[in-house]
Amino acid sequence: MKMAVIGGTGVYDPSWLSHSVEQEVETPFGVTRVTHGRLDGVDDDVFFMNRHGAGHTVPPHLVNYRANIWALHQLGVKRVVATAAVGSLNVAMAPGTFVLCDQFLDFTKSRAATFHNGGDFGVVHTDMTVPYCPDMRSAIARAGRHAGISTVDGGCYVTTEGPRFETPAEIKAYRLLGGDVVGMTGVPEVVLARELGLCYSTIALVTNYAAGIAADVLTHQEVLDVMAQNVAGLRGVIAGALPRLQHDRLCGCGPDAQQ
Ligand code: HPA
């Protein structure tokens, strides 16, 4: 089973894979870069992709999500674990908490958010009842327990357009709507993965309380600092989860379940 990790903010280094090789992948949506290598306990290659490009040069609203997800699909990847730095709207999810998202709210505005634009790709309305793979979530939660890192299994990820942070009024509204964490990249990544029948899961690492909940104003440096403190734990959880996910998919995320 080919699996991939999409590294978000603060997760850039593929050195946890051995014998790693970087390649350029051409897709109908543009060119992207993917590293593949070996991970202990996983029989097949594991792929790694930097969501924000080399040196974190691509902001959330300009990430080529379609090229990234298409490239993984083209390489034969079936399961994707994404990492994301997020702010928390939920006082039960303090900075440092790992949240395994199970729902999302979409407040993005200007992104290419589907493969289905008619023509060759057809008119398709993909079911989004279970956007995040439940089997991946439970494997990640088990790997977290094994590593002594507590994860919260379930949480609603609010995706904003960015690149600015939110106003306190927006955060208050998102909280009323049922959001738990807020970030800028969850959508359309999860949607595109579902459209192609990939199993997809997000480990959202809370780096801060969101605007208006935090006592101070928010800075990107604060996000990077908290990510840096937790990145080893995050890698440990992923390295523990992937060997538990090599079995055939029984979760219903596959393409047959999409029609
Ligand atoms: N808002 C949006 N994106 C984020 C935040 C936040 O508070 N923290 C980390 N990424």
Side-chain angles (χ1 to χ4, degrees):
M1 167 86 60
K2 289 198 172 85
M3 296 183 277
V5 177
I6 300 181
T9 297
V11 183
Y12 308 122
D13 179 9
S15 66
W16 49 290
L17 297 178
S18 62
H19 306 92
S20 66
V21 179
E22 196 182 12
Q23 69 186 110
E24 214 167 66
V25 183
E26 268 183 51
T27 78
F29 306 96
V31 176
T32 187
R33 300 192 75 78
V34 185
T35 298
H36 63 95
R38 309 294 307 170
L39 184 69
D40 276 353
V42 179
D43 295 337
D44 221 325
D45 272 344
V46 173
F47 295 82
F48 177 79
M49 175 179 267
N50 273 319
R51 181 185 293 122
H52 296 282
H56 196 136
T57 45
V58 187
H61 62 300
L62 296 179
V63 169
N64 191 342
Y65 296 97
R66 290 196 299 181
N68 288 350
I69 295 295
W70 192 272
L72 296 179
H73 167 65
Q74 198 170 294
L75 290 164
V77 166
K78 298 286 182 256
R79 295 194 206 269
V80 179
V81 185
T83 75
V86 291
S88 174
L89 319 180
N90 181 337
V91 288
M93 298 176 185
T97 305
F98 289 47
V99 181
L100 310 181
C101 302
D102 68 345
Q103 284 294 313
F104 67 77
L105 286 166
D106 178 13
F107 288 94
T108 62
K109 295 175 184 157
S110 70
R111 305 176 180 194
T114 182
F115 291 116
H116 298 303
N117 287 316
D120 289 348
F121 287 102
V123 174
V124 179
H125 304 287
T126 304
D127 179 70
M128 219 42 64
T129 308
V130 186
Y132 299 91
C133 175
D135 285 1
M136 293 192 73
R137 264 190 14 240
S138 69
I140 294 166
R142 267 183 285 136
R145 279 195 292 279
H146 192 73
I149 291 174
S150 73
T151 57
V152 175
D153 192 359
C156 180
Y157 181 130
V158 180
T159 310
T160 63
E161 182 64 10
R164 66 171 176 84
F165 287 122
E166 303 73 35
T167 64
E170 288 169 326
I171 292 300
K172 205 167 161 185
Y174 298 150
R175 211 173 53 204
L176 286 172
L177 291 174
D180 292 302
V181 295
V182 59
M184 303 176 192
T185 57
V187 177
E189 205 170 82
V190 59
V191 173
L192 296 167
R194 299 302 311 115
E195 285 187 352
L196 295 181
L198 305 182
C199 291
Y200 180 90
S201 59
T202 293
I203 309 178
L205 175 64
V206 176
T207 54
N208 56 280
Y209 282 118
I213 299 176
D216 297 318
V217 297
L218 180 57
T219 65
H220 187 54
Q221 191 55 48
E222 176 185 351
V223 171
L224 293 177
D225 290 347
V226 178
M227 277 309 299
Q229 287 157 24
N230 288 283
V231 73
L234 198 50
R235 277 203 210 120
V237 172
I238 294 171
L242 293 187
R244 298 167 194 262
L245 284 164
Q246 300 184 85
H247 53 84
D248 287 347
R249 298 194 291 168
L250 303 169
C251 45
C253 298
D256 294 347
Q258 296 303 299
Q259 304 311 320

